[in-house]
Amino acid sequence: MSGSRFMIRTRAALATAAGCLAAASCGTAAPQPAPAAPPATSAPISAPSSAPEAATDVAAPEPATDVAAPEPTVVTPTTGPSATTSPTPTGPPEFSAKVSRVPRERLEHSWRPGCPVPVSDLRLITMTYWGFDDKPHTGELVVNKAAADDVVSVFHRLYDWRWPIYKMRLVDAYKADDYASIDADNTSAFNCRPAEGSSSWSKHAYGLAIDINPRENPYIYANGTGSHKNAAKFFKRPVRAPGVINPGDRVVRAFRQKGWEWGGYWSGIKDYQHFSKGGN
């Protein structure tokens, strides 16, 4: 009886083992292990609202590669000219004057031993004047050192007024020939010579007289005539023309303010070109 029970149990065990093998061959899935944790790069599982998200769990956004970086702002200095700005038109240069000693060789014809002033008492003025062509020019006058400041002051005003002067050269350019200088309409000052029709020294011999635009402002004899035919249309006053000096005009007043007299006020003869310091 015991042997029969042993055989029954053995057969049951074998039957059970056979059943297990049959189940495996039929594809019955065996229990699977628990799924692995998500990789670190995946989005985190939301935590309860009371717990903040960990900062290290969120990847920083990548910069956009198709958006150009802004260009730096260039500031153009306001003190310098701009390449796209039209240049500002410039006007005539300011009046300028330089007073210096006169080299003896510059007075080759106009000074000689026996003149009433030494060369050391004369000064060369190199200055700007306004021309008949409506342009600035540089001219020269030799005057007494005592008159240099007056001359610079008056001619500065003439330039600012754009009052025209035809020419301004030393009389030595005409070998100190007063007639030739006047005929060329040259404004000049020092010339060691006697006064017209006299044996006495002219104010020009002291460097204390100036003749301005002698063609437009001629020397007129008491009978109303003059010695320069190219000045005939300017014999009478007043005359309205460039470079002309008329009684009481601003040129006369400018010299009078410095103590200079005008030859146009002389009785008998008239010397419209002539201004002298302290009279004749």
Side-chain angles (χ1 to χ4, degrees):
M1 189 70 177
S2 60
S4 301
R5 290 178 179 174
F6 174 75
M7 290 298 293
I8 292 171
R9 290 177 179 174
T10 299
R11 291 176 181 168
L14 291 174
T16 301
C20 290
L21 291 175
S25 63
C26 292
T28 302
Q32 296 296 321
T41 56
S42 62
I45 300 174
S46 299
S49 58
S50 60
E53 292 183 355
T56 56
D57 291 339
V58 180
E62 292 291 334
T65 58
D66 57 345
V67 179
E71 293 292 334
T73 302
V74 178
V75 179
T76 303
T78 58
T79 56
S82 172
T84 58
T85 303
S86 300
T88 302
T90 57
E94 295 293 325
F95 173 85
S96 64
K98 178 183 178 181
V99 179
S100 58
R101 291 183 176 273
V102 190
R104 172 67 181 89
E105 58 270 19
R106 295 297 308 275
L107 307 176
E108 179 183 0
H109 304 287
S110 61
W111 189 92
R112 60 187 180 277
C115 287
V117 292
V119 173
S120 60
D121 282 351
L122 299 173
R123 294 292 182 267
L124 173 66
I125 303 177
T126 305
M127 61 183 167
T128 316
Y129 70 91
W130 194 253
F132 274 65
D133 58 357
D134 285 329
K135 295 179 181 179
H137 300 271
T138 300
E140 294 180 316
L141 289 177
V142 170
V143 301
N144 194 296
K145 65 181 181 180
D149 289 345
D150 291 349
V151 172
V152 169
S153 177
V154 171
F155 277 82
H156 189 173
R157 296 181 71 180
L158 299 185
Y159 182 80
D160 288 347
W161 293 335
R162 301 299 188 255
W163 195 87
I165 294 172
Y166 185 76
K167 187 185 298 185
M168 187 190 294
R169 303 181 65 187
L170 301 190
V171 74
D172 290 79
Y174 305 92
K175 297 183 178 181
D177 185 333
D178 189 56
Y179 186 95
S181 179
I182 289 174
D183 219 41
D185 205 7
N186 180 53
T187 295
S188 66
F190 173 77
N191 192 4
C192 187
R193 63 173 178 82
E196 180 74 19
S198 171
S199 59
S200 300
W201 289 116
S202 165
K203 281 281 188 174
H204 289 279
Y206 296 89
L208 296 174
I210 297 175
D211 291 338
I212 301 177
N213 292 343
R215 175 176 175 266
E216 288 76 19
N217 304 291
Y219 183 95
I220 306 298
Y221 300 115
N223 62 5
T225 64
S227 58
H228 295 269
K229 294 181 179 179
N230 65 357
K233 67 179 181 178
F234 300 106
F235 283 179
K236 294 183 179 181
R237 288 294 186 272
V239 176
R240 303 301 175 189
V244 170
I245 302 168
N246 288 296
D249 70 9
R250 58 186 177 176
V251 179
V252 174
R253 295 195 303 271
F255 274 100
R256 186 174 60 204
Q257 290 172 1
K258 298 296 180 180
W260 292 58
E261 295 184 4
W262 181 47
Y265 287 145
W266 295 351
S267 60
I269 61 172
K270 302 292 183 183
D271 198 355
Y272 295 123
Q273 65 200 258
H274 182 89
F275 290 93
S276 56
K277 185 176 178 66
N280 295 303

